[in-house]
Amino acid sequence: MSEDTLRIRAVPNGATEPKTPPVPQAAGRRDAFFDNAKYLAIVLVAIGHSWEPLRDGSRAASALYMVVYAFHMPAFIVISGYFSRSFDASPGRIKRLITGLVVPYIVFETAYTLFTRWTDQEPDRPVTLLDPLYLTWFLIALFIWRLTTPIWQRVRWPLPVALVIAMLATLSPSIGNDLDLQRMLQFLPYFVVGLLLRPEHFQLVRRRAARILALPVFAGALVVAYWAVPRMSGAWFYHRDSAEELAAPSWYGPVMTLVTFGCSLVLVACFLAWVPGRRMWFTVLGAGTLYGYLLHGFVAQGSKFWGWYEPAWVHRPPGEILVTVVAALLVTVLCTPPVRRVFRWVIEPDMAWAFRRDARDQARERNAVRA
């Protein structure tokens, strides 16, 4: 999502652990690698949504869809966790959480509800902030994950604990839809992985050997997905349902949690291996991925209502390629600076009027005046 809004910053806010330096780079400059990764991941999110109506009757489209869904959100969440390492619940960071996550959540949860009343022909769909609709689950999940960061930094075995929580969540269909807690808990291990990563770990996957190895791994994943399409539900990678809700025995839940976690992490590593580390033409768009994420959903939802997928040619290879290109172009445009300027007031509101000034900021200003 947007690096400005979700605080996924190349330079972490504040100091990290004493022995762990931040990613080396000039002060005030963004890290091109992470901006590139976020842009490419948001393109895959949009493409995945565009493929959803194409899966019926197409085993190949379903296999591609399954592979993309296996790693695009885990990649976002791992990066989000990585840049949450220095979160300490200070007043400034709490303010940024509220303006960067809670406010957009409220606005877009309301907007999507009103929009889908029309597109889904459900005029009585209630506006509720407890049941995230469509894309908004990530905002409230990241808000809660980030608030728990100090806990994970104190736990002796954070990743095993997070995995156990995710595994237990799959056993309980009674968790319900409040705040999309099921998905929040099942995706939690990826956030914790991000908290545990250090700059040298990203350097490992960016080596030439890793890039070469990523190719046969991706090819193998596509072959496995093609085989799995008629044999298993790709909904395991959505992490939003319990085993019972997926019509599987209860013990499937913990097992599939570990299996999907392993598969997703391997594919995330392969994805990151091919992310360019230098500045590219799309690097600047990495700062606007929250805009692309939140805004493209209206087109994805409306496209079905408007009948864009009804022509038979859309479901043939040329049509599927065209849909893919259009989705990539659309989300690219939505990440551009002009679009960000138009929607900044709602996605990145300043809201200084709503908060008391931090005493440390006031002290800095007084010292500056005296100087």
Side-chain angles (χ1 to χ4, degrees):
M1 313 309 100
S2 168
E3 190 159 323
D4 292 333
T5 306
L6 299 189
R7 306 304 168 226
I8 299 175
R9 297 185 181 277
V11 180
N13 296 324
T16 58
E17 294 82 0
K19 296 183 180 180
T20 305
V23 179
Q25 61 178 23
R29 293 190 60 189
R30 300 173 65 95
D31 190 295
F33 171 75
F34 290 105
D35 276 338
N36 293 339
K38 293 198 300 296
Y39 166 74
L40 294 173
I42 198 62
V43 168
L44 291 174
V45 169
I47 288 175
H49 288 150
S50 74
W51 284 346
E52 187 173 345
L54 302 176
R55 292 179 298 160
D56 292 340
S58 176
R59 188 172 176 179
S62 296
L64 287 168
Y65 183 87
M66 184 182 294
V67 171
V68 167
Y69 265 77
F71 74 90
H72 67 34
M73 284 311 299
F76 266 127
I77 296 168
V78 166
I79 294 174
S80 298
Y82 177 71
F83 286 107
S84 297
R85 293 175 303 154
S86 61
F87 180 81
D88 59 2
S90 64
R93 291 187 178 119
I94 292 296
K95 173 187 173 182
R96 287 192 290 270
L97 275 185
I98 293 173
T99 58
L101 293 175
V102 176
V103 173
Y105 172 73
I106 294 172
V107 171
F108 280 88
E109 176 66 20
T110 303
Y112 272 119
T113 300
L114 298 177
F115 186 72
T116 55
R117 281 181 180 179
W118 172 52
T119 58
D120 293 346
Q121 300 294 293
E122 293 187 23
D124 297 326
R125 174 171 286 170
V127 177
T128 172
L129 301 181
L130 295 179
D131 186 5
L133 181 65
Y134 198 35
L135 303 172
T136 57
W137 72 270
F138 180 77
L139 299 180
I140 198 65
L142 184 56
F143 172 74
I144 294 176
W145 290 334
R146 190 158 285 173
L147 283 178
T148 64
T149 293
I151 297 175
W152 300 112
Q153 292 175 332
R154 300 296 184 273
V155 173
R156 186 180 295 274
W157 301 290
L159 184 55
V161 171
L163 280 170
V164 168
I165 291 174
M167 293 163 68
L168 292 176
T170 65
L171 300 176
S172 177
S174 62
I175 288 179
N177 295 323
D178 288 352
L179 298 181
D180 220 340
L181 189 58
Q182 183 72 253
R183 183 148 46 180
M184 189 185 304
L185 296 177
Q186 290 194 39
F187 271 118
L188 174 63
Y190 301 98
F191 182 79
V192 174
V193 165
L195 290 175
L196 298 176
L197 290 177
R198 297 296 179 263
E200 54 268 25
H201 297 136
F202 289 95
Q203 293 298 329
L204 287 175
V205 300
R206 294 169 64 184
R207 295 183 302 175
R208 183 171 182 270
R211 289 196 298 272
I212 295 174
L213 183 61
L215 295 177
V217 171
F218 266 125
L222 287 171
V223 171
V224 172
Y226 190 83
W227 171 86
V229 163
R231 295 174 172 84
M232 66 168 279
S233 171
W236 288 107
F237 289 107
Y238 302 160
H239 298 294
R240 68 186 180 198
D241 300 302
S242 66
E244 180 180 318
E245 291 169 316
L246 292 176
S250 295
W251 65 269
Y252 270 43
V255 171
M256 289 302 294
T257 297
L258 295 177
V259 170
T260 56
F261 179 74
C263 293
S264 295
L265 277 193
V266 169
L267 292 178
V268 167
C270 292
F271 166 71
L272 293 175
W274 278 95
V275 171
R278 64 184 185 280
R279 292 192 63 82
M280 309 289 288
W281 65 267
F282 53 80
T283 301
V284 67
L285 304 179
T289 48
L290 182 62
Y291 293 78
Y293 178 78
L294 291 174
L295 296 174
H296 91 277
F298 292 102
V299 179
Q301 287 289 309
S303 61
K304 305 165 191 176
F305 177 74
W306 297 320
W308 291 359
Y309 289 90
E310 291 179 1
W313 65 267
V314 173
H315 297 265
R316 301 189 185 106
E320 293 170 343
I321 293 173
L322 179 61
V323 167
T324 303
V325 172
V326 170
L329 290 176
L330 171 67
V331 77
T332 296
V333 170
L334 294 177
C335 293
T336 58
V339 173
R340 293 172 61 195
R341 284 193 291 270
V342 171
F343 291 97
R344 189 183 303 274
W345 64 276
V346 67
I347 296 180
E348 296 182 280
D350 180 70
M351 295 185 63
W353 55 269
F355 300 91
R356 290 184 294 181
R357 298 178 64 189
D358 188 356
R360 287 178 294 184
D361 291 337
Q362 294 177 357
R364 280 195 293 268
E365 289 183 7
R366 286 195 296 269
N367 292 335
V369 170
R370 292 170 184 169

